[in-house]
């Protein structure tokens, strides 16, 4: 599933051709993805001007001058294609701009979603209402994590995946951040020391920022809007590297937590 860096990369790619432009045409080529497209999507977007783009957790935001925001989620395999040579059967939503660009939301598995939300009510949108702070924003601090983890017996890795604590973190980047911060993924969250939390916050930010700069990590069908593949996967220290060497000289191990694979090094992560 595309994670936060992939969504951020997507939003930045869309902004280069969509921000400030008028939507000349909208075509919905099927009734639904994970759930139905909004009934008024075509009417609302056609003729509007895109005032900005953004991201909340793993959702992309396309703001318009009609005080309405299109919220999209890429699901398991969704991606936007900019100016494709031709449209395919999985290009389920197509947007054409006044200056001739074509943007196609391609989703072969149809686990993605598209919603229309009043811009001034975005914080109350059900998917956003209970989210924690953005990991790249000022709300993520060691003090915030200390409060969220206090007296919690659950493993620190599992709580970092809880979107109510930190919005948008996914399995790959939690594994990588814990390795950089030298924290064992099975450690009880309430027993993670303040110095360790002080290492963890910049580790989270750094791994996300490095992945965004690299265009994200390529997993299965993910590609950037320009069709290029993200290449951060080559810089993974532990994720997907069971049995290989950790940068510290230890060996990467794999366990299962909450039904997901966790990769770590028990030599440097305590």
């Amino acid at each position: 599933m595309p994670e936060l860096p992939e969504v951020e990369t997507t939003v930045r790619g869309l902004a280069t051709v969509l921000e400030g432009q008028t939507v000349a045409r909208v075509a919905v080529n099927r009734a639904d993805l994970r759930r139905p497209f909004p009934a008024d999507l075509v009417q609302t977007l056609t003729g509007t001007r895109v005032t900005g783009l953004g991201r909340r957790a793993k959702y992309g935001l396309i703001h318009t001058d009609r005080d309405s925001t299109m919220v999209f989620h890429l699901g398991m395999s969704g991606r936007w294609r900019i100016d494709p040579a031709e449209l395919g059967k999985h290009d389920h939503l197509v947007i054409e701009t006044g200056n001739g660009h074509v943007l196609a939301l391609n989703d072969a598995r149809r686990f993605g979603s598209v919603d229309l939300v009043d811009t001034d009510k975005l914080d109350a949108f059900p998917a956003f209402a209970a989210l924690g702070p953005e990991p790249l924003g000022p709300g993520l601090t060691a003090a915030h994590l200390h409060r969220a983890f206090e007296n919690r017996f659950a493993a620190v890795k599992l709580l970092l995946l809880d979107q109510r604590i930190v919005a948008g973190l996914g399995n790959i980047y939690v594994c990588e951040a814990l390795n950089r911060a030298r924290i064992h993924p099975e450690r009880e969250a309430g027993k993670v020391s303040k110095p360790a939390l002080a290492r963890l916050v910049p580790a989270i930010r750094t791994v996300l920022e490095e992945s965004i700069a690299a265009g994200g990590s390529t997993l299965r069908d993910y590609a950037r809007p320009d069709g290029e593949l993200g290449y951060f996967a080559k810089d993974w220290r532990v994720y997907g590297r069971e049995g290989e060497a950790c940068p510290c000289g230890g060996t990467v191990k794999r366990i299962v937590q909450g039904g997901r694979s966790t990769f770590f090094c028990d030599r440097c992560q305590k």
Side-chain angles (χ1 to χ4, degrees), residues 69-90:
T69 295
M70 192 183 93
V71 179
F72 66 86
H73 193 285
L74 296 174
M76 295 292 292
S77 62
R79 62 189 181 98
W80 284 93
R81 303 200 299 150
I82 296 177
D83 295 330
E86 60 181 8
L87 295 176
K89 65 178 182 178
H90 298 305

Side-chain angles (χ1 to χ4, degrees), residues 174-266:
V174 169
C175 289
E176 291 294 305
L178 287 171
N179 175 259
R180 294 184 184 214
R182 306 189 305 280
I183 300 171
H184 196 287
E186 293 183 304
R187 177 171 288 278
E188 290 181 15
K191 293 184 178 179
V192 179
S193 68
K194 289 184 178 179
L197 293 177
R199 297 195 302 269
L200 179 58
V201 170
I204 290 171
R205 290 202 176 107
T206 298
V207 73
L208 292 174
E209 289 168 350
E210 288 181 0
S211 182
I212 291 167
S217 301
T218 298
L219 289 176
R220 297 180 181 173
D221 304 313
Y222 172 73
R224 300 185 307 197
D226 61 6
E228 294 297 319
L229 300 177
Y231 56 89
F232 185 68
K234 69 179 182 62
D235 292 324
W236 289 345
R237 296 189 182 194
V238 291
Y239 189 83
R241 298 186 58 217
E242 180 182 9
E244 298 181 31
C246 172
C248 77
T251 301
V252 176
K253 297 184 177 181
R254 174 187 171 274
I255 58 174
V256 176
Q257 293 179 285
R260 300 181 183 182
S261 293
T262 296
F263 298 89
F264 70 103
C265 170
D266 60 5

Side-chain angles (χ1 to χ4, degrees), residues 133-194:
E134 287 287 324
L136 295 176
L140 179 61
T141 63
H144 166 75
L145 291 181
H146 178 71
R147 290 190 297 269
F149 292 169
E150 193 170 15
N151 299 320
R152 299 290 297 272
F153 297 103
V156 60
K157 194 246 181 163
L158 296 181
L159 289 193
L160 287 172
L161 291 174
D162 186 335
Q163 302 297 289
R164 296 168 297 180
I165 293 176
V166 185
L169 286 185
N171 197 38
I172 295 172
Y173 301 102
V174 169
C175 289
E176 291 294 305
L178 287 171
N179 175 259
R180 294 184 184 214
R182 306 189 305 280
I183 300 171
H184 196 287
E186 293 183 304
R187 177 171 288 278
E188 290 181 15
K191 293 184 178 179
V192 179
S193 68
K194 289 184 178 179

Side-chain angles (χ1 to χ4, degrees), residues 7-220:
V7 179
E8 180 68 26
T9 300
T10 293
V11 167
R12 294 184 186 186
L14 292 175
T16 62
V17 297
L18 195 54
E19 190 164 5
Q21 298 300 315
T22 298
V23 176
R25 178 178 174 271
V26 179
V28 175
N29 296 327
R30 62 172 295 116
D32 57 9
L33 295 177
R34 177 158 43 101
R35 54 179 179 269
F37 282 104
D40 57 345
L41 182 67
V42 173
Q43 180 180 355
T44 299
L45 292 185
T46 302
T48 194
R49 184 175 64 84
V50 176
T51 58
L53 289 91
R55 178 193 52 76
R56 181 68 169 118
K58 299 177 186 179
Y59 290 81
L61 310 174
I62 300 176
H63 305 297
T64 74
D65 63 356
R66 291 179 180 168
D67 300 321
S68 183
T69 295
M70 192 183 93
V71 179
F72 66 86
H73 193 285
L74 296 174
M76 295 292 292
S77 62
R79 62 189 181 98
W80 284 93
R81 303 200 299 150
I82 296 177
D83 295 330
E86 60 181 8
L87 295 176
K89 65 178 182 178
H90 298 305
D91 290 323
H92 303 309
L93 172 64
V94 179
I95 296 174
E96 296 182 15
T97 65
N99 64 348
H101 286 294
V102 175
L103 301 95
L105 178 57
N106 183 285
D107 190 353
R109 300 183 186 182
R110 302 198 306 274
F111 285 120
S113 63
V114 171
D115 294 280
L116 279 177
V117 182
D118 291 341
T119 302
D120 62 357
K121 297 178 181 177
L122 275 172
D123 288 343
F125 180 53
F128 299 167
L131 288 178
E134 287 287 324
L136 295 176
L140 179 61
T141 63
H144 166 75
L145 291 181
H146 178 71
R147 290 190 297 269
F149 292 169
E150 193 170 15
N151 299 320
R152 299 290 297 272
F153 297 103
V156 60
K157 194 246 181 163
L158 296 181
L159 289 193
L160 287 172
L161 291 174
D162 186 335
Q163 302 297 289
R164 296 168 297 180
I165 293 176
V166 185
L169 286 185
N171 197 38
I172 295 172
Y173 301 102
V174 169
C175 289
E176 291 294 305
L178 287 171
N179 175 259
R180 294 184 184 214
R182 306 189 305 280
I183 300 171
H184 196 287
E186 293 183 304
R187 177 171 288 278
E188 290 181 15
K191 293 184 178 179
V192 179
S193 68
K194 289 184 178 179
L197 293 177
R199 297 195 302 269
L200 179 58
V201 170
I204 290 171
R205 290 202 176 107
T206 298
V207 73
L208 292 174
E209 289 168 350
E210 288 181 0
S211 182
I212 291 167
S217 301
T218 298
L219 289 176
R220 297 180 181 173

